[in-house]
């Protein structure tokens, strides 16, 4: 490292003090952005107010403009300074440049129109040397912190795969932490044509226009810096077992560029290779999380389908109460268990006449209304099934004969008093019995059917015990 130059004979002490102060500020910069700003402004002063451009050198050798001072709009005569994309272009131009050395070779270059005045050259060398060392230290410290932070966040993501139920939930719980690690303003996930985002992101149309230009077969170890309205964004493919699941997009502010119109002049880089590698690590974890969510979703849909199929197997489609098949199986189980319960069979009186007079749609409406009315009378552990046509069976659980009679009579009166859609009264006739020891389901059903028949012949709208 060069020592601090002595005060030039033709430079006043105040100028020397200013340069020493600038040197101290650069060596104490807290962020690369702050360092670039202070270095560019100081060099601008030393170089007789020439514009200063800082370029980052990519692994490919390509140059990307990182910072310029003053703003591009203030240097219309030096537009080429903002457009260099390679060191060869910079070398063969009439512009002057310096290396900004890093730990492994050259980190970047500093460009300006002409060589600074001779009495400033030693100061320029010292400033750039100090800035390079400070930049290396800042990047090493900060990158180590960010890598540790990402490692912790990846563990949290792995834990939350079983707890969170959607990509929106993942972004809500982890978006702030990811933005902090990647110094980003927003994060977006694209999966199955849907966009999920956290923080400040370009609008949906801009994002999908950018992704439309990317190759869906992008390899798992590559990222793409976005352009145009999405400039500052990095896209990483979400790939698992060679299947492309979508994209992870992280957006940064265009903060390192002090110009409003430079986007039309050059392609800027906002991401270091190690940062892109970290984004790919996160993309790998998100691909696993997305696959897990998809599996959970498929399983949930299968459970719903199975429940629906089971319901269809047990349910009468018109009345939505038990169908005959399921009602028979329940009665068989009750007879085998010798449970104490009453069984009620009823049908709607003169239902054929209702159908003939008012039509089958009206008859269907009444059939649908009967179970609703029955549930208003029956207890929560009682069950209603459609036996066939206008006939129904009620299993009155844990009931004596007297309790069964009480419920059956209430049901008859409740239906009789209900105002149906037809002017005629609608009533039911019912047979009631209890399960007897060593009785087969067939014997039980024959006896309760006989009770219903006796209620019909006795004048209808009543309950017969059998």
């Amino acid at each position: 490292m060069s020592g601090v130059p002595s005060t030039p004979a033709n430079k006043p002490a105040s100028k020397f003090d200013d340069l020493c102060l600038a040197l101290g500020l650069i060596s104490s910069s807290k962020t690369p952005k702050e360092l670039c700003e202070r270095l560019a402004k100081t060099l601008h002063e030393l170089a007789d107010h020439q514009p200063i451009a800082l370029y980052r050198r990519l692994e490919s050798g390509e140059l990307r403009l990182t910072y310029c001072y003053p703003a591009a709009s203030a240097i219309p005569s030096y537009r080429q300074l903002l457009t260099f994309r390679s060191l060869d272009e910079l070398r063969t131009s009439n512009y002057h440049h310096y290396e900004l050395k890093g730990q492994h070779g050259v980190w970047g270059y500093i460009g300006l129109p002409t060589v600074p005045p001779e009495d400033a050259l030693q100061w320029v060398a010292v400033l750039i040397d100090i800035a390079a060392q400070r930049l290396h230290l800042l990047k090493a410290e900060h990158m180590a912190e960010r890598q540790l932070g990402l490692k912790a966040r990846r563990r949290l993501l792995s834990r939350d795969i079983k707890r969170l139920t959607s990509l929106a939930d993942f972004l809500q719980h982890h978006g702030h932490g990811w933005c902090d690690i990647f110094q980003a303003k927003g994060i977006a996930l694209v999966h199955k044509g849907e966009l999920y985002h956290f923080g400040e992101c370009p609008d949906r149309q801009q994002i999908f226009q950018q992704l439309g230009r990317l190759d869906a077969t992008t390899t798992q170890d590559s990222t793409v810096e976005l352009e145009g309205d999405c400039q500052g964004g990095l896209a990483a493919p979400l790939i698992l077992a060679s299947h492309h699941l979508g994209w992870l997009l992280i957006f940064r502010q265009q903060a390192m560029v002090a110009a409003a119109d430079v986007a039309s002049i050059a392609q800027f880089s906002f991401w270091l290779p190690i940062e892109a590698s970290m984004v790919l690590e996160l993309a790998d974890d998100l691909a696993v999380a997305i696959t897990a969510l998809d599996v959970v979703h498929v399983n949930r849909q299968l459970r719903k389908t199975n429940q629906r199929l089971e319901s269809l197997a047990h349910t009468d489609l018109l009345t939505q109460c038990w169908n005959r098949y399921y009602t028979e199986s329940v009665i068989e189980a009750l007879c085998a268990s010798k449970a104490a319960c009453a069984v009620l069979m009823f049908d709607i009186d003169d239902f054929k006449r209702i159908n003939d007079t008012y039509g089958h749609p009206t008859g269907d409406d009444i059939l649908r209304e009967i179970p609703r009315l029955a549930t208003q009378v029956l207890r929560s552990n009682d069950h209603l099934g459609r036996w066939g046509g206008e006939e129904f069976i009620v299993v009155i659980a844990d009931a004596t004969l007297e309790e069964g009679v009480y419920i059956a009579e209430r049901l008859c009166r409740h239906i009789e008093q209900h105002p149906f859609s037809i002017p005629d009264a609608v009533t039911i006739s019912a047979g009631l019995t209890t399960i007897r020891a060593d009785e087969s389901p067939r014997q039980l059903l024959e006896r309760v059917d006989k009770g219903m028949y006796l209620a019909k012949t006795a004048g209808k709208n009543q309950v017969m015990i059998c």
Side-chain angles (χ1 to χ4, degrees):
M1 169 181 165
S2 302
V4 176
S6 59
T7 308
N10 59 344
K11 292 287 184 182
S14 60
K15 186 69 173 179
F16 175 78
D17 291 341
D18 290 344
L19 289 171
C20 287
L21 176 61
L23 189 63
L25 290 173
I26 290 171
S27 62
S28 62
S29 297
K30 302 298 183 184
T31 65
K33 174 188 174 184
E34 187 177 70
L35 184 146
C36 289
E37 290 176 346
R38 290 174 175 176
L39 177 62
K41 289 179 181 179
T42 305
L43 293 178
H44 176 71
E45 293 291 331
L46 281 172
D48 287 341
H49 300 93
Q50 296 183 77
I52 305 294
L54 275 67
Y55 312 96
R56 180 163 67 84
R57 184 178 186 274
L58 305 184
E59 290 184 345
S60 63
E62 186 180 9
L63 298 188
R64 293 288 178 86
L65 182 64
T66 301
Y67 188 81
C68 66
Y69 185 86
S73 56
I75 53 174
S77 301
Y78 301 98
R79 308 294 276 182
Q80 188 181 2
L81 191 65
L82 308 175
T83 64
F84 293 124
R85 299 298 296 275
S86 69
L87 181 58
D88 288 340
E89 290 181 9
L90 187 58
R91 283 173 174 168
T92 57
S93 70
N94 295 324
Y95 290 82
H96 189 64
H97 69 276
Y98 293 93
E99 291 182 348
L100 190 60
K101 294 183 179 180
Q103 182 182 19
H104 305 290
V106 177
W107 179 85
Y109 297 91
I110 300 168
L112 64 163
T114 62
V115 180
E118 185 174 349
D119 60 349
L121 290 177
Q122 191 176 6
W123 276 99
V124 169
V126 171
L127 286 166
I128 294 175
D129 189 11
I130 292 294
Q133 293 187 47
R134 184 60 181 171
L135 183 63
H136 165 64
L137 182 61
L138 286 174
K139 289 185 175 297
E141 290 178 346
H142 191 54
M143 193 57 65
E145 292 176 0
R146 292 165 62 190
Q147 286 177 310
L148 287 174
L150 180 61
K151 188 175 181 179
R153 281 284 165 183
R154 293 179 68 190
R155 287 197 297 268
L156 291 175
L157 178 63
S158 176
R159 178 203 67 186
D160 286 344
I161 286 178
K162 296 180 180 179
R163 184 170 66 90
L164 302 178
T165 59
S166 69
L167 290 182
D169 286 343
F170 276 104
L171 286 175
Q172 184 64 33
H173 283 77
H174 296 282
H176 180 77
W178 293 337
C179 283
D180 185 55
I181 289 170
F182 291 108
Q183 300 177 325
K185 63 177 182 176
I187 292 183
L189 291 170
V190 175
H191 177 55
K192 294 183 177 179
E194 293 295 328
L195 175 67
Y196 309 87
H197 64 87
F198 175 90
E200 300 178 33
C201 300
D203 65 35
R204 176 186 176 88
Q205 182 179 1
Q206 293 168 343
I207 290 176
F208 277 94
Q209 283 178 347
Q210 285 284 311
L211 294 181
R213 302 188 186 105
L214 302 181
D215 185 2
T217 61
T218 301
T219 59
Q220 191 169 357
D221 59 352
S222 64
T223 58
V224 181
E225 289 203 39
L226 305 179
E227 303 176 353
D229 294 326
C230 295
Q231 193 173 54
L234 187 74
L238 300 171
I239 297 176
L240 186 67
S242 300
H243 294 291
H244 190 276
L245 305 177
W247 295 94
L248 165 64
L249 304 105
I250 304 182
F251 298 96
R252 280 181 170 169
Q253 294 279 6
Q254 302 181 14
M256 294 294 285
V257 181
D261 58 342
V262 290
S264 61
I265 301 172
Q267 169 71 37
F268 294 91
S269 175
F270 296 83
W271 297 87
L272 296 172
I274 191 170
E275 292 176 320
S277 177
M278 290 167 61
V279 171
L280 281 173
E281 290 177 3
L282 178 58
D284 289 342
D285 291 342
L286 284 169
V288 173
I290 287 173
T291 302
L293 286 177
D294 286 345
V295 170
V296 170
H297 177 72
V298 169
N299 287 338
R300 188 181 297 119
Q301 293 301 114
L302 285 174
R303 284 196 297 272
K304 288 182 178 179
T305 300
N306 289 336
Q307 290 170 357
R308 175 62 177 162
L309 290 174
E310 183 178 357
S311 175
L312 289 174
H314 296 170
T315 305
D316 176 69
L317 294 179
L318 178 63
T319 62
Q320 295 301 302
C321 58
W322 287 352
N323 59 22
R324 177 162 181 160
Y325 166 78
Y326 192 63
T327 303
E328 284 182 330
S329 65
V330 169
I331 291 175
E332 287 177 1
L334 288 172
C335 290
S337 67
K338 301 178 182 179
C341 67
V343 177
L344 176 74
M345 178 182 284
F346 70 87
D347 79 350
I348 303 171
D349 295 329
D350 302 315
F351 190 70
K352 183 177 183 304
R353 179 181 58 80
I354 292 174
N355 276 333
D356 293 342
T357 304
Y358 301 103
H360 286 275
T362 299
D364 288 347
D365 290 341
I366 292 174
L367 285 173
R368 280 188 286 264
E369 187 75 357
I370 292 295
R372 189 185 70 82
L373 295 173
T375 57
Q376 295 172 358
V377 173
L378 300 178
R379 303 166 304 173
S380 60
N381 58 337
D382 299 331
H383 298 285
L384 174 69
R386 188 182 181 192
W387 194 244
E390 68 273 24
E391 294 180 350
F392 294 85
I393 283 185
V394 179
V395 175
I396 307 173
D398 299 321
T400 63
L401 184 61
E402 291 74 15
E403 291 170 332
V405 169
Y406 173 76
I407 291 173
E409 291 288 355
R410 282 190 61 202
L411 179 60
C412 279
R413 301 291 77 80
H414 188 58
I415 292 175
E416 178 188 15
Q417 296 166 8
H418 180 73
F420 286 88
S421 60
I422 60 175
D424 302 344
V426 176
T427 61
I428 63 172
S429 296
L432 176 70
T433 191
T434 55
I435 296 178
R436 297 174 182 174
D438 300 324
E439 183 177 45
S440 69
R442 179 175 178 179
Q443 291 171 323
L444 170 68
L445 292 169
E446 287 178 347
R447 192 170 70 256
V448 77
D449 181 69
K450 180 180 179 181
M452 183 180 69
Y453 173 77
L454 292 174
K456 289 281 189 186
T457 58
K460 304 175 183 176
N461 191 22
Q462 57 186 292
V463 179
M464 282 288 185
I465 301 172
C466 52

